[in-house]
């Protein structure tokens, strides 16, 4: 009998333990709501300084994110999380509605959230779902939002940026944002996809005293990734017009995509070779993968013609690019030359090579060559030929010849027009204009063959806008 009682007692123990576990789980589930809302959550602080190493000096004074949480009960079993804090220098307010679903072996949650930078129009909306198995998803969106230079956040950033050459800056536009991320049982690593669209952007300012305007700039920037791998989608910026110091580019566009290249980097490394006092320095090479942006094509209308660029890597220390010129109006192009006062017709073709070095922060012009199509007739009428004639006189052309050329340039039909630019020994640039054709005066036509060279810093106009952002 004693042995039977002992056996029955041992048989009851598993049921007693199981009942105790069930009771504990039920008690925990019942008490969880009270526990969650009664906890005093500490301030959460995240240091972003390692990610802001390349940010301009003084752009932000606080390089952390801090969050204070307050949890309360909502309707229909929901929890309401109220979050306040700072993202860098700017305060924010966030609300999260969470609906938990407790199971014996875990918990599922679903809900929605909103995030707003206080005092700004910036607001993000999100909805999410997650389970204790590790699967989750989240969608984040920002509806189309207008912005401008007077918005509090933007105005504060602009006041901290060092742009002494920029004045009278006015801009406006719209921006929207969307992102999706998830982790599933089939793909147990994070996957994400994000895009940001800029539209209707208009800009006007003065750079080093030269006016710059941009009308209807728009582009979409996107990226996607899985685990620690990411890809940036091709970018297609476009603008109705870009005007810099009198030059107008219309229907401007570009096609950019990321490109990875393996670059051989040579370093000098000291090798002791096991000999006391030996400090032999030998070269060491390493293959480094560089990610850069490749402009596959860019172009714009200018002077009633086309300007185009192909295959340009943007992240090189030195850039060499050739601007292809296709049928620009000779009259409009010549009007931008210092000292030219008159009118012309005809088309110019050719190329404009440019080079850029990061350490100089400026473009340099190389050997430019523009020409008219042989046999295609154009006209040239100078209202004031004095700058051209003075250049010829300084080159030793007799005065009577100069006087005759003054009359000829008043009404010239040309079949050869060439414009070339070459560096000079003193570091300057020489712009040479060649014209051949016939001039008609008092019903008498005479042949004209003219070559005149202008001197000066022709790169100044090119760098007016670019150097503004690199000072």
């Amino acid at each position: 009998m004693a042995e039977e009682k002992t056996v029955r007692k041992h048989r009851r123990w598993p049921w007693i333990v199981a009942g105790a576990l069930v009771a504990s789980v039920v008690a925990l589930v019942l008490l969880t709501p009270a526990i969650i809302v009664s906890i005093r959550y500490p301030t959460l602080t995240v240091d972003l300084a390692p990610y802001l190493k390349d940010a301009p000096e003084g752009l932000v004074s606080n390089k952390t994110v801090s969050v204070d949480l307050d949890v309360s009960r909502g309707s229909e079993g929901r929890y309401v999380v109220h979050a306040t804090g700072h993202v860098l220098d700017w305060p924010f307010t966030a609300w999260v509605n969470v609906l938990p679903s407790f199971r014996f072996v875990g918990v599922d949650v679903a809900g929605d959230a909103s995030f707003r930078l206080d005092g700004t129009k910036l607001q993000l909306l999100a909805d999410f779902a997650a389970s204790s198995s590790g699967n989750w998803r989240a969608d984040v969106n920002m509806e189309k939002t207008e912005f401008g230079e007077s918005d509090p956040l933007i105005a504060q950033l602009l006041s901290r940026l060092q742009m002494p050459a920029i004045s009278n800056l006015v801009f406006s536009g719209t921006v929207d944002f969307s992102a999706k991320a998830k982790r599933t049982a089939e793909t147990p690593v994070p996957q994400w996809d994000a895009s940001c669209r800029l539209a209707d952007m208009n800009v006007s300012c003065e750079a080093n005293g030269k006016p710059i305007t941009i009308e209807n700039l728009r582009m979409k920037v996107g990226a996607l990734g899985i685990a620690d791998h990411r890809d940036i989608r091709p970018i297609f910026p476009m603008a109705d017009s870009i005007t810099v110091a009198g030059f107008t580019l219309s229907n401007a566009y570009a096609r950019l995509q990321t490109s990875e290249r393996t670059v051989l980097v040579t370093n000098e490394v000291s090798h002791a070779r096991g000999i006391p006092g030996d400090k032999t320095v030998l070269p060491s090479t390493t293959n480094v993968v560089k990610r850069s942006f490749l402009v596959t094509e860019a172009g714009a209308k200018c002077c009633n013609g086309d300007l185009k660029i192909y295959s340009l890597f943007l992240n090189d220390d030195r850039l060499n690019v050739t601007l292809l010129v296709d049928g620009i109006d000779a009259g409009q192009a010549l009007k931008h030359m210092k000292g030219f006062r008159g009118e012309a017709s005809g088309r110019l073709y050719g190329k404009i090579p440019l080079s850029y070095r990061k350490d100089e922060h400026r473009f340099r012009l190389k050997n430019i060559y523009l020409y008219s199509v042989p046999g295609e007739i154009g006209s040239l009428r100078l209202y004031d030929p004095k700058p051209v004639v003075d250049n010829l006189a300084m080159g030793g052309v007799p005065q009577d010849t100069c006087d005759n050329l003054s009359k000829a340039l008043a009404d010239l039909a040309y079949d050869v027009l060439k414009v070339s630019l070459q560096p000079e020994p003193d570091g300057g640039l020489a712009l040479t204009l060649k014209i051949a054709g016939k001039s008609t005066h008092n019903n008498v036509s005479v042949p004209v063959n003219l070559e005149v060279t202008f001197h000066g810093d022709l790169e100044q106009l090119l760098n007016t806008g670019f150097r503004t952002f690199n000072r």
Side-chain angles (χ1 to χ4, degrees), residues 14-254:
W15 293 103
I16 293 172
V17 172
L21 288 174
V22 171
S24 299
V25 171
V26 172
L28 181 61
V29 170
L30 294 174
L31 292 175
T32 294
I35 295 173
I36 292 176
V37 299
S38 62
I39 295 176
R40 295 180 63 87
Y41 297 93
T43 299
L44 174 65
T45 302
V46 179
D47 184 14
L48 298 182
Y51 306 99
L52 299 173
K53 294 179 181 179
D54 296 328
E57 186 70 25
L59 186 63
V60 293
S61 58
N62 174 31
K63 297 183 178 181
T64 65
V65 174
S66 62
V67 183
D68 291 305
L69 299 176
D70 177 66
V71 183
S72 60
R73 293 295 302 274
S75 61
E76 300 178 352
R78 300 180 189 277
Y79 293 92
V80 179
V81 181
H82 179 219
T84 57
H86 283 77
V87 176
L88 303 178
D89 290 335
W90 300 282
F92 74 87
T93 302
W95 294 89
V96 184
N97 295 302
V98 183
L99 177 61
S101 176
F102 295 98
R103 296 181 284 110
F104 183 75
V105 293
V107 61
D108 297 333
V109 296
D112 58 80
S114 67
F115 172 91
R116 179 186 291 274
L117 283 182
D118 298 344
T120 74
K121 299 177 182 179
L122 181 63
Q123 182 178 23
L124 298 175
L125 301 176
D127 66 86
F128 59 89
S131 69
S132 54
S133 65
N135 298 334
W136 54 268
R137 67 153 190 87
D139 297 338
V140 182
N141 293 280
M142 183 179 71
E143 295 182 351
K144 183 182 290 188
T145 303
E146 296 181 351
F147 66 90
E149 80 287 344
S150 60
D151 290 343
L153 173 62
I154 297 176
Q156 188 174 8
L157 289 172
L158 289 175
S159 67
R160 296 177 178 181
L161 288 174
Q162 300 298 318
M163 297 189 301
I166 288 284
S167 60
N168 300 325
L169 176 61
V170 178
F171 62 87
S172 63
T174 64
V175 62
D176 62 79
F177 172 82
S178 65
K180 295 182 178 182
K182 64 180 180 180
R183 181 187 185 276
T184 64
E186 294 78 12
T187 309
V189 292
Q191 306 171 67
W192 57 273
D193 189 341
S195 65
C196 180
R197 187 190 307 273
L198 179 71
D200 307 317
M201 186 165 184
N202 300 301
V203 182
S204 67
C205 65
E206 290 186 2
N208 294 320
K210 303 292 185 180
I212 297 177
T213 61
I214 302 175
E215 295 183 1
N216 195 20
L217 173 66
R218 64 268 188 200
M219 73 176 77
K220 183 178 181 180
V221 180
L224 68 161
I226 180 170
D228 59 353
H229 175 80
R230 73 180 188 276
D231 292 308
I232 300 175
R233 285 195 172 93
I235 305 172
F236 304 98
M238 294 182 289
D240 286 355
S241 68
I242 302 174
T243 302
V244 180
F247 273 101
T248 298
L249 304 177
S250 59
N251 298 326
Y253 70 93

Side-chain angles (χ1 to χ4, degrees), residues 72 122 139 143 255 276 324 333 377 417 427 442:
S72 60
L122 181 63
D139 297 338
E143 295 182 351
R255 295 186 176 93
L324 301 179
I377 303 300
L417 175 59
N442 293 330

Side-chain angles (χ1 to χ4, degrees), residues 193-425:
D193 189 341
S195 65
C196 180
R197 187 190 307 273
L198 179 71
D200 307 317
M201 186 165 184
N202 300 301
V203 182
S204 67
C205 65
E206 290 186 2
N208 294 320
K210 303 292 185 180
I212 297 177
T213 61
I214 302 175
E215 295 183 1
N216 195 20
L217 173 66
R218 64 268 188 200
M219 73 176 77
K220 183 178 181 180
V221 180
L224 68 161
I226 180 170
D228 59 353
H229 175 80
R230 73 180 188 276
D231 292 308
I232 300 175
R233 285 195 172 93
I235 305 172
F236 304 98
M238 294 182 289
D240 286 355
S241 68
I242 302 174
T243 302
V244 180
F247 273 101
T248 298
L249 304 177
S250 59
N251 298 326
Y253 70 93
R255 295 186 176 93
L256 295 84
Q257 65 184 46
T258 56
S259 174
E260 290 187 351
R261 293 181 296 162
T262 301
V263 180
L264 188 65
V265 178
T266 302
N267 302 305
E268 289 188 346
V269 180
S270 178
H271 296 271
R273 299 193 302 182
I275 303 174
D278 182 17
K279 297 182 179 179
T280 303
V281 176
L282 300 175
S284 174
T285 58
T286 306
N287 287 328
V288 177
V289 177
K290 279 192 173 184
R291 181 188 291 266
S292 62
F293 274 102
L294 169 65
V295 181
T296 57
E297 181 182 356
K301 292 283 186 181
C302 181
C303 299
N304 291 332
D306 293 302
L307 303 179
K308 290 186 178 181
I309 294 173
Y310 296 96
S311 299
L312 171 64
F313 284 99
L314 292 181
N315 291 8
D316 290 339
D317 293 332
R318 178 193 293 269
L319 300 179
N320 292 288
V321 57
T322 298
L323 186 63
L324 301 179
V325 178
D326 185 8
I328 65 173
D329 185 276
Q332 293 189 31
L334 292 173
K335 284 180 180 178
H336 290 286
M337 291 173 54
K338 183 178 179 181
F340 179 85
R341 287 184 288 276
E343 59 183 68
S345 66
R347 297 284 173 180
L348 290 175
Y349 303 81
K351 59 183 182 179
I352 302 177
L354 306 171
S355 66
Y356 166 72
R357 290 185 57 176
K358 285 186 177 180
D359 55 353
E360 295 181 350
H361 292 304
R362 68 177 285 135
F363 280 99
R364 291 197 178 277
L365 297 170
K366 291 187 177 181
N367 296 334
I368 292 177
Y369 184 65
L370 301 176
Y371 61 90
S372 63
V373 175
E376 188 175 289
I377 303 300
S379 64
L380 176 65
R381 296 181 180 88
L382 293 185
Y383 305 144
D384 180 11
K386 189 175 185 300
V388 176
V389 174
D390 287 348
N391 270 275
L392 294 174
M394 292 174 61
V397 177
Q399 186 60 45
D400 57 345
T401 301
C402 290
D403 293 340
N404 290 331
L405 281 174
S406 295
K407 298 177 182 178
L409 293 175
D411 188 1
L412 173 68
Y414 68 84
D415 53 13
V416 174
L417 175 59
K418 296 181 180 180
V419 180
S420 61
L421 181 142
Q422 294 182 342
E424 294 186 303

